[in-house]
Amino acid sequence: MALLAYLKSLFILQLLMGFVFVVSGLIINFIQLCTCILWPINKQLYRRINCRLSYSLWSQLVMLLEWWSGTDCTLYTDQATVDKFGKEHVIVILNHNFEIDFLCGWTMCERYGILGSSKVLAKHELLKVPLIGWTWYFLEIVFCKRKWEEDRKTVFKGLTRLKDYPECMWFLLYCEGTRFTETKHQISMQVAESKGLPKLKYHLLPRTKGFTTTMQCLKGTVSAVYDVTLNFKDNQTPTLLGIVNGKKYKADMSVRRFPVEDIPDDEQECANWLHKLYQEKDALQENYNKEGKFPGPTIIPPRRLWTLLNFLFWATLLLSPLINFACGVAVSGSPLLIIGFIIFLIIASVAIRRLIGVTEVKKTGSSYGNPEAKKQN
């Protein structure tokens, strides 16, 4: 076990894995670009192909969580809810406290066969991030600038376009709008007090516009809302860098299903429903802190081999020519070739580190609490 942990910490292995992810991502993005010719001919075929292509990329990250770090994911929910996973269009509401919360969500999507068709209401800045933003663009992810005056038209258009999506999708909403920090929490509770809303201890005040708009646009398409509250055992603070280094975490996810017919149609009543939901999420967090677990039965969905096999396919395809090239450079004795290859490795390592930085809390702060920013919805 000590030897395995040592191997996982080796930078060269991490670099090779990063190389596989980046290069395979660029190949996938190019194929996605080529599929654009299908859109005016057969839109649904375009979508099905891109679901599989995005799965091939995202499953590599899921492989890191499941097989490389060995992180465990336990669901706290009932069997009747689990039986519906992957068989209906839903909106997923997830707390935004951890750097890898999205990865835990993707893991559940993968285990129930909907990773490729999972969606999110994402901040517009991510559209500019290579691989991540580009893949999401082809997957019809809805981007927003978190300024409702600018977002209204594009968000309505993007959501409405998904009404006839052919694959079962989970549409993820981070209703808090940004990751939880103590500073943001203090500011958010000041907003709650000014609006006469109950204060939350473990969450930011939810921004209701995104939720009410999504409910309005996808009415008749989505069957339910899944409220997901994520925590980690022993007060762990997981990071993507920790996952890359092979560190194992234990994730607990409470999942509650709410049929859409139980959620009010009126915008204000729907917003009130969301505020009440977050008060319940706060109570769940409080219970978890005291008991070390969520209430209710537990289900541990088994890992699937597809993520590992997919990574091994790309690794075999891409690492063989890279290793042959590196050996050729080494035996050539050419200082120019050797220096050029070293520079390539440095650039690659910096690029991979920057991609990891996209998930880091300290580097992904929003303008939340900026006095010049718009007030919360």
Side-chain angles (χ1 to χ4, degrees):
M1 293 299 292
L3 176 60
L4 184 60
Y6 170 73
L7 291 175
K8 289 180 179 180
S9 68
L10 290 178
F11 175 73
I12 186 63
L13 288 182
Q14 297 173 4
L15 183 60
L16 290 175
M17 292 173 65
F19 172 82
V20 172
F21 177 75
V22 170
V23 177
S24 66
L26 293 174
I27 293 173
I28 289 169
N29 285 161
F30 175 74
I31 298 173
Q32 288 180 307
L33 180 63
C34 293
T35 65
C36 289
I37 62 173
L38 292 174
W39 181 267
I41 303 170
N42 191 329
K43 181 173 67 174
Q44 302 298 36
L45 177 60
Y46 164 89
R47 286 169 159 172
R48 293 184 187 280
I49 292 174
N50 275 277
C51 282
R52 275 81 187 158
L53 291 171
S54 65
Y55 174 86
S56 188
L57 183 61
W58 302 142
S59 66
Q60 294 182 51
L61 297 179
V62 174
M63 186 281 299
L64 281 178
L65 185 79
E66 294 185 332
W67 297 97
W68 183 256
S69 80
T71 292
D72 296 322
C73 291
T74 301
L75 296 180
Y76 288 76
T77 189
D78 57 89
Q79 189 61 48
T81 296
V82 171
D83 289 342
K84 294 181 180 296
F85 285 179
K87 299 175 182 177
E88 59 181 353
H89 295 299
V90 298
I91 295 170
V92 177
I93 295 175
L94 178 63
N95 55 316
H96 206 6
N97 297 60
F98 306 101
E99 288 184 9
I100 66 166
D101 46 31
F102 75 97
L103 196 49
C104 292
W106 277 357
T107 296
M108 289 301 105
C109 288
E110 199 288 322
R111 293 187 186 187
Y112 291 98
I114 53 172
L115 176 59
S117 58
S118 61
K119 310 291 181 187
V120 64
L121 183 61
K123 57 184 180 182
H124 192 267
E125 294 92 326
L126 291 176
L127 181 59
K128 303 174 185 177
V129 178
L131 305 185
I132 296 174
W134 300 347
T135 303
W136 275 356
Y137 174 81
F138 293 114
L139 201 58
E140 300 173 79
I141 294 298
V142 182
F143 293 94
C144 66
K145 298 179 180 179
R146 293 184 287 197
K147 297 178 181 178
W148 185 240
E149 294 77 9
E150 298 180 28
D151 289 332
R152 182 189 299 271
K153 184 177 180 180
T154 55
V155 169
F156 265 95
K157 181 179 179 181
L159 289 170
T160 302
R161 189 169 57 191
L162 295 176
K163 287 178 70 70
D164 64 342
Y165 207 78
E167 307 265 339
C168 286
M169 64 176 176
W170 285 6
F171 192 96
L172 173 62
L173 288 177
Y174 288 117
C175 292
E176 295 165 88
T178 184
R179 278 201 179 98
F180 182 99
T181 66
E182 288 301 328
T183 300
K184 293 174 184 177
H185 180 251
Q186 292 174 11
I187 296 169
S188 182
M189 292 308 97
Q190 292 174 6
V191 176
E193 184 175 7
S194 68
K195 293 186 175 183
L197 295 169
K199 291 187 177 182
L200 303 173
K201 190 175 180 180
Y202 304 102
H203 298 84
L204 306 179
L205 194 67
R207 301 185 178 191
T208 60
K209 276 292 184 185
F211 177 70
T212 57
T213 300
T214 303
M215 288 291 296
Q216 178 184 348
C217 291
L218 296 182
K219 184 178 180 180
T221 299
V222 297
S223 303
V225 171
Y226 293 171
D227 171 50
V228 182
T229 305
L230 171 67
N231 263 309
F232 288 86
K233 294 286 190 186
D234 305 320
N235 294 317
Q236 292 175 311
T237 306
T239 64
L240 185 55
L241 192 57
I243 294 294
V244 171
N245 287 325
K247 186 173 181 179
K248 182 176 182 177
Y249 302 105
K250 294 182 179 180
D252 289 335
M253 304 175 75
S254 169
V255 182
R256 299 183 297 161
R257 182 182 184 274
F258 298 90
V260 292
E261 54 266 24
D262 293 346
I263 302 173
D265 291 329
D266 178 77
E267 183 176 353
Q268 185 56 54
E269 291 182 8
C270 187
N272 293 338
W273 182 90
L274 183 64
H275 283 298
K276 183 176 181 295
L277 181 75
Y278 266 79
Q279 293 163 32
E280 294 173 359
K281 287 173 75 71
D282 228 44
L284 279 173
Q285 289 276 22
E286 182 74 26
N287 181 84
Y288 190 90
N289 289 347
K290 291 179 179 178
E291 304 293 334
K293 62 180 181 179
F294 291 115
T298 61
I299 296 174
I300 302 178
R303 291 181 297 181
R304 305 197 309 168
L305 276 173
W306 294 115
T307 56
L308 184 59
L309 294 175
N310 175 73
F311 176 78
L312 291 176
F313 163 77
W314 283 111
T316 302
L317 181 68
L318 299 175
L319 290 184
S320 296
L322 176 67
I323 293 173
N324 288 336
F325 178 74
C327 292
V329 169
V331 300
S332 71
S334 169
L336 188 60
L337 279 177
I338 294 173
I339 293 173
F341 189 68
I342 292 174
I343 292 174
F344 165 76
L345 292 178
I346 294 173
I347 293 174
S349 63
V350 170
I352 293 166
R353 187 63 186 83
R354 295 216 31 188
L355 280 174
I356 293 174
V358 171
T359 69
E360 294 180 353
V361 173
K362 294 180 180 180
K363 295 184 180 181
T364 56
S366 67
S367 59
Y368 194 99
N370 188 324
E372 298 179 359
K374 296 286 184 181
K375 288 185 177 181
Q376 235 179 344
N377 289 317

